[in-house]
Every structure is written in structure tokens, then in C-alpha cells.
Amino acid sequence: MIEEKCYDYKVTAAGRINIIGEHVDYCGGKVFPAALSLCNTVYVRPNGTDKINVSWTTLPQSVSLDIGRLETYRGLEYGNYQAGSALMWREAGHRLVGCDMLQHCTVPFGSGLSSSAAIEVSTIAALAVAAGEEFDPVEVAQLAQRAEREFAGVNCGIMDQYASACGKRGCAMLLDCKTLECEYVPLNLGDCSLVVINCGKPHNLTQSKYNERRAETEEAFAVLRGALPGITCLADVTPAQLEKYSHLLGGNVLRRARHVVEECDRVCKAADAMKRGDIAGLGALLNASHASLRDLYEVTGRELDSLAAAAQAHPACLGSRMTGGGFGGCTVSIVRTDALDDFRSYVSARYNAETGYTARIYDTEIAAGITVANI
Ligand code: GLA
């Protein structure tokens, strides 16, 4: 039971799916995510002290963060994200006031649907509202990204926090991660729906593996810049240029670079396909993206591969791929709406038989990023 009357405001920020454009945000590429109705809600009210008191609907304990020493809370088991978010907000020169906040998250943890971004973004927005400050959702996203990097140790790109803060109901977002220009594209799938399925194996954005992939792409960029002085990021390299200079890169670094360059190309084609209503074309790009994440980027794993393959094998499925950082978490599939029930039962049964895990299928819609309400 949430005692809403104990609080002044209700602030939410969304989880997200990424339709396509995986592991390219930190290479300056374009991504194509959408905000979900699964979200983190922060109920907040100023308390006139120098403490941020955080409690959760799902945990018995609460923590009290002293706003004078937020940097000391790195690594805290509970309250780490909130402390990091508050510190980034204050370090950016904003007013921070003591407050009581209750956190309620419907984004499943470890699902690849960006529960951490939803928590960071909603916490920063709630702190702004509690202090009576206006906020710019793009700045909130950037500060949330810093909190993730500095407090969670994941050297992430901007996609999750941007989608969580700036999402629009019913729209996918074609976000250029180099310039932060964002085009909202109505999610028009004709007679199809998006289906989000959790493989049931928690992903661990195992900081180490994620950061390792990122380092490999940085290495590729450093080498290619020698041959192509005009490029400012790996996403600037065209598939033809990469072929021409592929002899400069070896082994894993070449495979990672090939994924990034080809995935960037797929994102533009996918956005065009959606605008034209070519859902079969869009689906084929999703399948190609999954294959590349499996074979070239190596971030899928047995469970996500089995789940994507089961979906792709169903006749009503136009395309399916892993979404998010990988190593577990969710897939996103495009499925003919009239066959959804059959699709769900076929995929669940086949996946369970192959892996022993139970797939969880979410009912979720494409929703707004941050919302603020007086209560
Ligand atoms: C995680 C990161 C994002 C992005 C994706 C992969 O979700 O937080 O910045 O890199 O992985 O596309």
C-alpha cells in the first residue's frame, strides 16, 4: 500500500526497449529505442533537513543520505543509485534539498529494460521538483548517465537515460548519440505488435564485459582514425571504408568494429522501413542485428539465442532480437497481432524445453519518459 498523502509529488521515469541499434551509442551511432510503461516512480516531499531519506515499496529497510557527504555512499547496497543521482545533480550546480522519497519500480531488475536508468532519471527529476527547480530532461539524462558511470561502474552510453527521460507515448526515438538530435517516429507497426520477453536469466551488465567491449571499439576507432582522419567516432566509418581498412584491425577488434559499422547502417534502414510501413523489412533487420550481436559482438549467450530463435521460427513473427546490453535479459519481437496467443505459447514451450528457464512475457506499452504530478 502506498500512502500517497504522505508525499507532495509523484515523479516517474520509464524503462525502455531498444528496437535496433545495439552497442553503438557509445560509438556515436544512432539508436532506435522507445520508452515503456514499465517505470520507476518516486514519491517525494521536502523535509526541511539536510537528509535524503529513501525507502522502497519492496524492501523493509530505508536509508538516510546526508547531502553533505554524498560521495561517500559509492558502493552502498541500497541507496547507491539515489546517492549518485543526487551528487551529480548538485555537482551540476543545482539546488539540492533534504526530502523523503519512496521508490516503486515496475521495471524488472536485470531484464535489460533499463531499471537503473529509470531509477536514476526519476530520482534526479524528483530532487529537482522537491527543490522547486525547473529541469531539462536532456540534462537529467546526462547527469543520470554520469551517476551510472561513477556509482554503478558501467561505462555506458546515453541511450537508456535519454529514452527514460525524453520518451514520447506511442513513439520510437531515432537518437543520434553523437549530437543528441532526436527524431520521434510514430511506432506504426500496422497489424503487428511488439512483444517483450525476458529469458529469465538475469543479465549482469557484467561491468567488466561491457567495459571490455567498449574498450575494443575504442581501440578500433584509434587505429582507423590514423587511416581516416576525418572521422570523429567509430559510427562515422562506412561499411565500405571498414572493408578497405580491415587489414589494420585483427581478431576481436575487427569483429566488434564490423558489428558497430553494420548495425549503424541497419538503424537508418530500420527507421526508414518503419516510416514506410515496411514491417517485413524492419523485422529482417532485427534478425540481422541479433545474428551480429551473437556472432560478431558476442553479447547474447545461449538463453537469448534460444529465445530469439524460437521467436523467429514462429510463422507470425517478422523479426526478433535481444534488446539492451545482453548477457541475459530480454528480446523484442515483431509479431502479427492476430496470432499473439499462439506465438506466446509456442515460444514459451520451446524455450523452456531447450533451456529449462521460464520465459516471462510483459504487457507493456510505449509511454512517456518523465512525468510529474502533484498529489
Ligand atoms: C546498456 C547501456 C547502453 C547501451 C546498451 C547496448 O543498456 O546502458 O548505454 O550501450 O547497453 O546498446
Side-chain angles (χ1 to χ4, degrees):
M1 244 305 263
I2 296 165
E3 291 282 349
E4 291 203 355
K5 61 179 185 305
C6 299
Y7 299 91
D8 294 347
Y9 305 98
K10 176 179 172 176
V11 179
T12 69
R16 62 102 191 88
I17 44 160
N18 187 17
I19 298 168
I20 196 164
E22 217 64 86
H23 284 281
V24 299
D25 60 346
Y26 50 80
C27 301
K30 287 188 182 171
V31 294
F32 203 35
L36 294 175
S37 51
L38 295 168
C39 66
N40 190 60
T41 301
V42 181
Y43 298 89
V44 68
R45 71 157 175 216
N47 62 18
T49 74
D50 58 359
K51 302 267 193 290
I52 300 172
N53 300 320
V54 189
S55 55
W56 291 266
T57 53
T58 48
L59 295 172
Q61 66 268 55
S62 55
V63 298
S64 188
L65 305 169
D66 189 334
I67 60 180
R69 49 185 200 93
L70 290 167
E71 52 289 334
T72 63
Y73 298 113
R74 270 193 185 79
L76 206 64
E77 187 177 4
Y78 300 107
N80 181 28
Y81 286 124
Q82 288 77 10
S85 301
L87 180 61
M88 298 311 146
W89 176 247
R90 198 189 59 200
E91 280 189 349
H94 298 289
R95 198 163 99 89
L96 186 62
V97 299
C99 55
D100 298 337
M101 52 169 64
L102 172 66
Q103 303 254 340
H104 177 68
C105 195
T106 57
V107 189
F109 297 121
S111 61
L113 302 180
S114 292
S115 53
S116 60
I119 293 168
E120 293 148 354
V121 167
S122 55
T123 298
I124 295 176
L127 290 168
V129 169
E133 284 228 357
E134 297 275 310
F135 63 83
D136 165 15
V138 176
E139 189 196 8
V140 171
Q142 289 169 317
L143 297 176
Q145 179 195 23
R146 278 190 54 201
E148 179 78 24
R149 287 185 175 173
E150 294 184 23
F151 272 65
V154 180
N155 196 10
C156 65
I158 189 69
M159 171 173 73
D160 302 351
Q161 291 79 10
Y162 195 102
S164 176
C166 305
K168 234 188 215 174
R169 193 182 154 78
C171 286
M173 314 159 78
L174 183 59
L175 172 66
D176 183 327
C177 297
K178 185 161 76 169
T179 60
L180 293 192
E181 263 170 70
C182 178
E183 182 191 350
Y184 290 94
V185 180
L187 191 85
N188 195 348
L189 297 175
D191 60 358
C192 290
S193 304
L194 282 183
V195 182
V196 181
I197 311 182
N198 193 333
C199 75
K201 180 188 170 224
H203 90 143
N204 209 335
L205 238 205
T206 34
Q207 286 94 329
S208 58
K209 291 228 169 126
Y210 184 91
N211 294 344
E212 183 187 290
R213 293 295 182 281
R214 184 167 179 157
E216 287 164 340
T217 61
E218 279 161 7
E219 192 183 329
F221 171 60
V223 172
L224 291 171
R225 195 172 38 179
L228 296 161
I231 62 170
T232 60
C233 59
L234 188 54
D236 285 346
V237 178
T238 64
Q241 287 171 329
L242 183 64
E243 282 326 301
K244 182 163 174 207
Y245 294 109
S246 59
H247 61 280
L248 299 176
L249 306 172
N252 278 349
V253 173
L254 175 59
R255 278 198 291 279
R256 311 304 187 225
R258 188 164 275 148
H259 164 76
V260 170
V261 168
E262 292 174 359
E263 182 79 352
C264 288
D265 194 44
R266 280 188 288 269
V267 173
C268 296
K269 290 182 175 147
D272 282 348
M274 191 181 293
K275 289 180 199 163
R276 285 197 318 270
D278 174 13
I279 309 308
L282 176 64
L285 291 160
L286 263 64
N287 291 343
S289 171
H290 186 88
S292 177
L293 289 156
R294 181 189 62 213
D295 302 334
L296 299 178
Y297 220 68
E298 297 177 282
V299 291
T300 55
R302 175 172 163 263
E303 294 78 15
L304 283 173
D305 288 340
S306 163
L307 190 56
Q312 288 168 8
H314 191 276
C317 178
L318 281 73
S320 182
R321 60 179 289 275
M322 59 152 270
T323 190
F327 307 111
C330 287
T331 58
V332 57
S333 308
I334 302 177
V335 184
R336 272 208 337 271
T337 310
D338 63 4
L340 277 178
D341 286 343
D342 191 63
F343 172 80
R344 290 192 187 104
S345 44
Y346 171 81
V347 171
S348 305
R350 175 169 152 171
Y351 175 68
N352 181 256
E354 270 180 32
T355 65
Y357 281 103
T358 303
R360 282 197 303 277
I361 304 180
Y362 299 119
D363 253 342
T364 180
E365 283 167 18
I366 304 307
I370 299 173
T371 70
V372 177
N374 282 299
I375 50 180

Coordinates of all heavy atoms in Angstrom, one line a residue, residues 229-275:
P229 N 41.4 10.3 -41.3 CA 41.5 11.4 -40.3 C 40.2 12.2 -40.1 O 40.0 12.9 -39.1 CB 42.6 12.3 -40.9 CG 43.1 11.6 -42.1 CD 42.3 10.5 -42.4
G230 N 39.2 12.1 -41.1 CA 38.0 12.9 -41.0 C 37.0 12.3 -39.9 O 36.1 13.0 -39.5
I231 N 37.2 11.1 -39.5 CA 36.2 10.5 -38.6 C 36.3 11.0 -37.2 O 37.4 11.3 -36.7 CB 36.2 9.0 -38.6 CG1 37.5 8.4 -38.1 CG2 35.9 8.4 -40.0 CD1 37.5 6.9 -37.9
T232 N 35.2 11.2 -36.5 CA 35.2 11.7 -35.1 C 34.7 10.6 -34.2 O 34.8 10.7 -33.0 CB 34.2 12.9 -34.9 OG1 32.9 12.5 -35.3 CG2 34.7 14.1 -35.8
C233 N 34.2 9.5 -34.7 CA 33.8 8.4 -33.9 C 33.7 7.1 -34.8 O 33.7 7.3 -36.0 CB 32.5 8.6 -33.2 SG 31.1 9.0 -34.3
L234 N 33.6 6.0 -34.2 CA 33.6 4.7 -35.0 C 32.3 4.7 -35.9 O 32.4 4.1 -37.0 CB 33.6 3.5 -34.0 CG 33.8 2.1 -34.7 CD1 35.0 2.1 -35.6 CD2 33.9 1.1 -33.6
A235 N 31.2 5.3 -35.4 CA 30.0 5.3 -36.2 C 30.1 6.1 -37.5 O 29.3 5.9 -38.3 CB 28.8 5.8 -35.3
D236 N 31.1 6.9 -37.6 CA 31.3 7.7 -38.8 C 31.8 6.8 -40.0 O 31.8 7.2 -41.1 CB 32.3 8.8 -38.6 CG 31.8 10.0 -37.9 OD1 30.5 10.0 -37.7 OD2 32.6 10.8 -37.4
V237 N 32.4 5.6 -39.6 CA 33.0 4.8 -40.6 C 31.9 4.0 -41.4 O 31.0 3.5 -40.8 CB 33.9 3.7 -39.9 CG1 34.6 2.8 -41.0 CG2 35.0 4.4 -39.1
T238 N 32.0 4.1 -42.8 CA 31.0 3.4 -43.6 C 31.4 1.9 -43.8 O 32.6 1.6 -43.6 CB 30.9 4.0 -45.0 OG1 32.2 3.8 -45.6 CG2 30.6 5.5 -44.9
P239 N 30.5 1.0 -44.1 CA 30.9 -0.4 -44.3 C 32.0 -0.5 -45.4 O 32.9 -1.3 -45.2 CB 29.6 -1.0 -44.8 CG 28.5 -0.2 -44.2 CD 29.0 1.2 -44.1
A240 N 31.9 0.3 -46.4 CA 33.0 0.2 -47.5 C 34.3 0.6 -47.0 O 35.4 0.0 -47.2 CB 32.6 1.1 -48.7
Q241 N 34.4 1.7 -46.1 CA 35.6 2.1 -45.6 C 36.2 1.0 -44.6 O 37.4 0.8 -44.6 CB 35.5 3.4 -44.8 CG 35.3 4.6 -45.6 CD 34.9 5.9 -44.8 OE1 34.2 5.7 -43.8 NE2 35.3 7.0 -45.3
L242 N 35.3 0.4 -43.9 CA 35.8 -0.6 -43.0 C 36.4 -1.8 -43.8 O 37.5 -2.3 -43.4 CB 34.7 -1.1 -42.0 CG 35.2 -2.2 -41.0 CD1 36.2 -1.6 -40.1 CD2 34.0 -2.8 -40.2
E243 N 35.8 -2.2 -44.9 CA 36.3 -3.2 -45.7 C 37.7 -2.9 -46.2 O 38.7 -3.6 -46.1 CB 35.4 -3.6 -46.9 CG 34.2 -4.4 -46.5 CD 34.5 -5.4 -45.3 OE1 35.4 -6.3 -45.5 OE2 33.8 -5.4 -44.3
K244 N 37.8 -1.6 -46.6 CA 39.1 -1.2 -47.2 C 40.2 -1.2 -46.2 O 41.4 -1.6 -46.5 CB 38.9 0.3 -47.7 CG 40.1 0.9 -48.4 CD 39.8 2.1 -49.2 CE 41.1 2.7 -49.7 NZ 40.9 4.1 -49.9
Y245 N 39.9 -0.9 -44.9 CA 41.0 -0.8 -43.9 C 40.9 -2.0 -42.9 O 41.6 -1.9 -41.9 CB 40.9 0.5 -43.2 CG 41.3 1.7 -44.1 CD1 40.3 2.6 -44.5 CD2 42.5 1.8 -44.6 CE1 40.6 3.6 -45.4 CE2 42.8 2.9 -45.5 CZ 41.8 3.7 -45.9 OH 42.1 4.7 -46.7
S246 N 40.2 -3.0 -43.3 CA 40.0 -4.1 -42.3 C 41.4 -4.8 -42.0 O 41.5 -5.3 -40.9 CB 39.0 -5.1 -42.8 OG 39.5 -5.7 -44.0
H247 N 42.3 -4.7 -42.9 CA 43.6 -5.4 -42.6 C 44.4 -4.7 -41.5 O 45.3 -5.2 -40.9 CB 44.5 -5.3 -43.9 CG 44.8 -3.9 -44.4 ND1 43.9 -3.2 -45.1 CD2 45.9 -3.1 -44.2 CE1 44.4 -2.0 -45.3 NE2 45.6 -1.9 -44.8
L248 N 43.9 -3.5 -41.1 CA 44.6 -2.8 -40.0 C 44.2 -3.3 -38.6 O 44.8 -3.0 -37.6 CB 44.3 -1.3 -40.0 CG 44.8 -0.5 -41.3 CD1 44.3 0.9 -41.3 CD2 46.3 -0.6 -41.4
L249 N 43.0 -4.0 -38.6 CA 42.5 -4.5 -37.4 C 42.5 -6.0 -37.4 O 42.5 -6.6 -38.4 CB 41.0 -4.0 -37.2 CG 40.7 -2.6 -37.4 CD1 39.1 -2.4 -37.4 CD2 41.3 -1.8 -36.2
G250 N 42.6 -6.5 -36.2 CA 42.6 -8.0 -36.2 C 41.6 -8.6 -35.2 O 41.0 -7.9 -34.4
G251 N 41.3 -9.9 -35.4 CA 40.6 -10.7 -34.5 C 39.3 -10.0 -33.9 O 38.5 -9.5 -34.7
N252 N 39.2 -10.0 -32.6 CA 38.0 -9.5 -31.9 C 37.8 -8.0 -32.3 O 36.6 -7.6 -32.5 CB 38.2 -9.6 -30.4 CG 37.9 -11.0 -29.9 OD1 37.3 -11.8 -30.7 ND2 38.2 -11.3 -28.7
V253 N 38.9 -7.2 -32.4 CA 38.7 -5.8 -32.6 C 38.0 -5.6 -33.9 O 37.1 -4.8 -34.0 CB 40.0 -5.1 -32.4 CG1 39.9 -3.6 -32.8 CG2 40.5 -5.2 -31.0
L254 N 38.4 -6.4 -34.9 CA 37.8 -6.2 -36.2 C 36.3 -6.7 -36.2 O 35.4 -6.0 -36.7 CB 38.5 -7.1 -37.3 CG 37.9 -7.1 -38.7 CD1 37.7 -5.7 -39.3 CD2 38.7 -8.0 -39.6
R255 N 36.0 -7.8 -35.5 CA 34.6 -8.3 -35.4 C 33.8 -7.2 -34.7 O 32.6 -7.0 -35.1 CB 34.6 -9.6 -34.6 CG 34.9 -10.8 -35.5 CD 34.4 -12.1 -34.9 NE 35.2 -12.4 -33.7 CZ 36.4 -13.0 -33.8 NH1 36.9 -13.3 -34.9 NH2 37.1 -13.2 -32.7
R256 N 34.3 -6.7 -33.6 CA 33.5 -5.7 -32.9 C 33.2 -4.4 -33.8 O 32.1 -3.9 -33.8 CB 34.2 -5.2 -31.6 CG 34.7 -6.2 -30.7 CD 33.7 -7.3 -30.2 NE 34.3 -8.1 -29.2 CZ 34.2 -9.4 -29.2 NH1 33.5 -10.1 -30.0 NH2 34.9 -10.1 -28.2
A257 N 34.2 -4.0 -34.5 CA 34.1 -2.8 -35.4 C 33.1 -3.1 -36.5 O 32.2 -2.3 -36.8 CB 35.4 -2.4 -36.0
R258 N 33.1 -4.3 -37.0 CA 32.2 -4.7 -38.1 C 30.8 -4.6 -37.6 O 29.9 -4.1 -38.2 CB 32.6 -6.1 -38.6 CG 31.8 -6.4 -39.9 CD 32.5 -7.6 -40.6 NE 33.5 -7.2 -41.5 CZ 34.6 -7.9 -41.7 NH1 34.8 -9.1 -41.2 NH2 35.5 -7.5 -42.6
H259 N 30.6 -5.2 -36.4 CA 29.2 -5.1 -35.8 C 28.7 -3.6 -35.7 O 27.6 -3.3 -36.2 CB 29.1 -5.7 -34.4 CG 27.9 -5.3 -33.7 ND1 26.6 -5.8 -34.0 CD2 27.6 -4.3 -32.8 CE1 25.7 -5.2 -33.3 NE2 26.3 -4.3 -32.5
V260 N 29.6 -2.8 -35.2 CA 29.2 -1.4 -34.9 C 28.8 -0.7 -36.3 O 27.8 -0.1 -36.4 CB 30.3 -0.6 -34.2 CG1 30.0 0.9 -34.2 CG2 30.4 -1.1 -32.8
V261 N 29.7 -0.9 -37.2 CA 29.5 -0.2 -38.5 C 28.3 -0.7 -39.2 O 27.4 0.1 -39.8 CB 30.8 -0.4 -39.4 CG1 30.6 0.1 -40.8 CG2 32.0 0.4 -38.8
E262 N 28.1 -2.0 -39.2 CA 26.9 -2.6 -39.9 C 25.6 -2.3 -39.2 O 24.5 -2.1 -39.7 CB 27.1 -4.1 -40.1 CG 28.2 -4.3 -41.1 CD 28.5 -5.8 -41.3 OE1 28.0 -6.7 -40.6 OE2 29.5 -6.1 -42.1
E263 N 25.7 -2.3 -37.8 CA 24.5 -2.0 -37.0 C 24.0 -0.6 -37.2 O 22.8 -0.3 -37.3 CB 24.8 -2.3 -35.5 CG 23.6 -2.1 -34.6 CD 22.6 -3.2 -34.5 OE1 22.7 -4.2 -35.4 OE2 21.7 -3.2 -33.7
C264 N 25.0 0.3 -37.3 CA 24.6 1.8 -37.6 C 23.9 1.9 -38.9 O 22.9 2.6 -39.0 CB 25.9 2.6 -37.6 SG 26.6 2.9 -36.0
D265 N 24.3 1.1 -39.9 CA 23.7 1.1 -41.2 C 22.3 0.5 -41.1 O 21.3 1.1 -41.7 CB 24.6 0.2 -42.1 CG 24.2 0.4 -43.6 OD1 24.0 1.5 -44.0 OD2 24.1 -0.7 -44.3
R266 N 22.1 -0.5 -40.3 CA 20.8 -1.1 -40.1 C 19.8 -0.2 -39.4 O 18.6 -0.2 -39.7 CB 20.9 -2.4 -39.3 CG 21.3 -3.6 -40.0 CD 21.2 -4.9 -39.2 NE 22.3 -5.0 -38.2 CZ 23.5 -5.6 -38.3 NH1 23.8 -6.1 -39.5 NH2 24.3 -5.6 -37.3
V267 N 20.3 0.6 -38.5 CA 19.4 1.5 -37.8 C 18.7 2.5 -38.7 O 17.5 2.7 -38.7 CB 20.2 2.3 -36.7 CG1 19.3 3.4 -36.0 CG2 20.7 1.4 -35.6
C268 N 19.5 3.1 -39.6 CA 18.9 4.1 -40.6 C 17.9 3.3 -41.5 O 16.8 3.8 -41.7 CB 20.0 4.7 -41.4 SG 21.1 5.7 -40.4
K269 N 18.3 2.1 -41.9 CA 17.3 1.4 -42.8 C 16.1 1.0 -42.0 O 15.0 1.0 -42.5 CB 18.0 0.1 -43.3 CG 19.1 0.4 -44.3 CD 19.7 -0.9 -44.8 CE 20.7 -0.6 -45.9 NZ 21.9 -1.6 -45.9
A270 N 16.2 0.7 -40.7 CA 15.1 0.3 -39.9 C 14.1 1.5 -39.7 O 12.9 1.3 -39.8 CB 15.6 -0.2 -38.5
A271 N 14.7 2.6 -39.4 CA 13.8 3.8 -39.2 C 13.1 4.1 -40.5 O 11.9 4.4 -40.5 CB 14.6 5.0 -38.7
D272 N 13.8 4.0 -41.7 CA 13.1 4.2 -43.0 C 12.0 3.2 -43.2 O 10.9 3.5 -43.6 CB 14.1 4.1 -44.1 CG 15.0 5.4 -44.2 OD1 14.6 6.4 -43.6 OD2 16.0 5.3 -44.9
A273 N 12.3 2.0 -42.9 CA 11.3 0.9 -43.1 C 10.1 1.2 -42.2 O 8.9 1.0 -42.7 CB 11.9 -0.5 -42.7
M274 N 10.3 1.6 -41.0 CA 9.1 1.9 -40.1 C 8.3 3.1 -40.7 O 7.1 3.0 -40.8 CB 9.5 2.2 -38.7 CG 8.3 2.2 -37.8 SD 8.5 2.5 -36.1 CE 9.4 1.1 -35.5
K275 N 9.0 4.1 -41.2 CA 8.3 5.2 -41.7 C 7.5 4.8 -43.0 O 6.4 5.4 -43.2 CB 9.3 6.3 -42.1 CG 9.9 7.0 -40.9 CD 10.9 8.1 -41.3 CE 11.8 8.5 -40.2 NZ 13.0 9.2 -40.7

